[in-house]
Amino acid sequence: MRSPARWFFVTYLTTPNSLQKEESSNMSGKVAKLAVFLVLVVSVLVLAACPGGQAPATTGQQGQGGLQVGIVLPTKDEPRWLQDEARFRELLKNANVSVEILFSQGSSATEKANVESLLTKGAKVIIITPHDGAAAAAAAEAARKAGAKVISYDRLILGTDAVDYYVTFDSVAVGEAQAKYLVEKVGNRKGAPLYLYAGAATDNNAFLFFEGAWNVLQPKIVDGTFVIKNSTAAEALKDKPKLTRDEMAQIIGQITTNWDFNTAKNLAEANLTAAKKEDKGDVFILAPNDGTARAIADAFAVDPDVTSYVITGQDAEIASVQYIIDGKQSMTVLKDTRTLAKDAIDAALAFLNGQTPPKTTTYNNQKIDVPAKPTEVITVDKSNVKAAIIDSGYWPADKFTGLP
Ligand code: GAL
């Protein structure tokens, strides 16, 4: 894939301090001082040669200086995105490509500023997981204008043609896997209380997850297996097998967690306060991801009128894998972030080499059909947690206690 002309230094702009530390630990005394002096002299010369006095962010061999790939992830406050960061770093240890990773901390303004700073450093490919799919269009357009390729990572950037590729899991399949689990556990029972929760309405994935869940749950709501207890909008639309985006937005508006643990916990508590004793008992809960699942599960666990609960999740976060082992969360959907990070870097390298990454389908982003190659997901519960999580090498066994 890589032509000899594209041979670069491996530069870890993401860990400049540790790199500096490593380098200086190998040198001592005078040698170190001399090296520092030489670096300073070279920096001054480089600065003098650069228009506007801007030094390139990194240098490569054969005159190919500058940052190649910029990655912008949505927040450090959710383990999911720290997982992805760790996978990228792992992968980049042996890659000949210079990469910088920045976080937006739940702010579209920070996200755009991050993209602009990466472009200033010379990034030719920008990989973004948008905090807000629609708001990220401006950042994508800035990248396109600067001549960079834009890869939407896990979440789709909406309403712009400035998206070149989408690296994703099959998000409809995630929602279907969650709902199938609830259906499997409810068996032949009728009238089982169902509590629905969703992700952030600014995240296109929240719609895809809900769409998948609705595909499976709706027939089971219509036939009386489940009775929705916390959404009048979902109850009013229960006869419709396929919902429009607006209809889904109405439901998500009532059951959103905003991907936030506290919002999830408060909403679950409010739902439990509003529900009567007979709306509780042995309940079924659609929780959109692991962080919100733990928050919601904790609320249901302490309600004296809840006898048992089955609750879904997503992401195989360490804390949730432990919850599954402990019987506090029923399942999660493993989205192997090793595959996703690799697909993203492979796609970036393809673009850097003037090629096109592989495509098996497209996702409409309300403006164009964005090429993509979605990755499969795996349902994990207590019965296969060891095989799927530990034996697969996804997480090491020493992160957990009481493994089956
Ligand atoms: C989604 C992502 C999930 C989940 C969630 C919260 O877009 O696909 O894996 O973590 O965001 O950040």
Side-chain angles (χ1 to χ4, degrees):
M1 250 212 200
R2 231 174 288 127
S3 69
R6 289 219 171 260
W7 180 258
F8 296 96
F9 271 133
V10 181
T11 32
Y12 293 108
L13 288 174
T14 48
T15 50
N17 294 336
S18 64
L19 190 67
Q20 279 165 15
K21 264 182 231 149
E22 240 171 64
E23 279 174 355
S24 59
S25 70
N26 293 335
M27 294 185 265
S28 63
K30 286 179 186 168
V31 181
K33 278 181 196 152
L34 180 64
V36 169
F37 175 73
L38 284 175
V39 166
L40 280 174
V41 170
V42 170
S43 304
V44 169
L45 289 175
V46 168
L47 267 172
C50 284
Q54 278 271 356
T58 180
T59 52
Q61 289 178 338
Q62 300 167 9
Q64 301 264 13
L67 181 67
Q68 292 171 286
V69 180
I71 302 177
V72 183
L73 296 174
T75 179
K76 285 189 175 190
D77 293 340
E78 292 171 34
R80 159 69 215 267
W81 305 111
L82 297 173
Q83 277 188 47
D84 292 72
E85 183 200 14
R87 301 307 186 190
F88 273 121
R89 289 192 191 284
E90 189 60 38
L91 202 68
L92 291 166
K93 274 187 193 156
N94 301 312
N96 296 309
V97 59
S98 63
V99 179
E100 181 167 351
I101 304 175
L102 298 173
F103 282 85
S104 314
Q105 290 311 101
S107 154
S108 297
T110 306
E111 182 177 274
K112 182 141 185 286
N114 281 342
V115 169
E116 279 159 357
S117 108
L118 294 166
L119 291 169
T120 306
K121 290 176 182 174
K124 302 285 174 293
V125 179
I126 296 284
I127 298 174
I128 315 178
T129 303
H131 161 63
D132 174 322
E141 280 157 17
R144 166 71 58 86
K145 216 171 147 203
K149 294 284 184 188
V150 175
I151 299 174
S152 221
Y153 181 82
D154 193 273
R155 297 178 180 168
L156 191 54
I157 300 167
L158 300 177
T160 175
D161 61 7
V163 190
D164 297 286
Y165 194 61
Y166 183 28
V167 173
T168 184
F169 293 98
D170 184 341
S171 293
V172 173
V174 171
E176 286 174 349
Q178 294 170 329
K180 274 183 200 154
Y181 194 86
L182 297 178
V183 168
E184 193 186 298
K185 293 294 163 194
V186 78
N188 295 324
R189 214 181 127 190
K190 292 283 172 198
L194 177 66
Y195 290 81
L196 302 171
Y197 297 93
T202 49
D203 175 6
N204 189 54
N205 284 353
F207 288 80
L208 300 177
F209 301 146
F210 191 80
E211 179 189 331
W214 192 256
N215 288 345
V216 177
L217 290 176
Q218 187 269 341
K220 293 290 180 182
I221 296 165
V222 165
D223 77 4
T225 303
F226 290 117
V227 183
I228 303 164
K229 296 294 180 189
N230 67 333
S231 169
T232 49
E235 180 61 25
L237 289 160
K238 70 177 178 196
D239 291 325
K240 288 197 73 179
K242 285 277 165 212
L243 301 174
T244 64
R245 193 165 175 105
D246 279 354
E247 288 166 342
M248 276 194 276
Q250 285 168 35
I251 301 174
I252 292 173
Q254 285 186 333
I255 60 169
T256 185
T257 59
N258 223 6
W259 294 133
D260 176 66
F261 314 151
N262 284 325
T263 310
K265 185 168 173 281
N266 293 340
L267 181 60
E269 283 170 357
N271 292 158
L272 285 164
T273 305
K276 298 188 207 76
K277 191 176 162 79
E278 56 270 30
D279 296 331
K280 300 181 187 175
D282 298 313
V283 306
F284 293 79
I285 310 165
L286 177 77
N289 78 342
D290 282 348
T292 59
R294 295 193 300 277
I296 296 164
D298 289 349
F300 275 77
V302 296
D303 189 294
D305 297 324
V306 173
T307 340
S308 75
Y309 62 84
V310 177
I311 188 165
T312 62
Q314 167 181 197
D315 292 334
E317 289 178 7
I318 291 171
S320 276
V321 173
Q322 187 63 56
Y323 258 48
I324 290 172
I325 297 168
D326 296 342
K328 299 200 291 191
Q329 182 177 323
S330 315
M331 63 87 81
T332 188
V333 180
L334 168 63
K335 310 202 301 189
D336 195 325
T337 44
R338 294 172 296 190
T339 312
L340 205 66
K342 184 170 184 311
D343 285 353
I345 294 299
D346 286 350
L349 290 172
F351 281 133
L352 287 171
N353 289 330
Q355 295 161 348
T356 313
K359 161 192 148 181
T360 54
T361 187
T362 60
Y363 284 78
N364 189 278
N365 79 341
Q366 298 166 0
K367 185 88 174 198
I368 54 162
D369 290 328
V370 184
K373 185 173 101 32
T375 295
E376 309 233 318
V377 297
I378 300 166
T379 297
V380 179
D381 72 356
K382 214 169 182 167
S383 68
N384 67 342
V385 66
K386 196 172 163 295
I389 302 290
I390 312 298
D391 300 348
S392 73
Y394 194 71
W395 293 126
D398 63 11
K399 300 255 180 228
F400 308 102
T401 55
L403 267 169

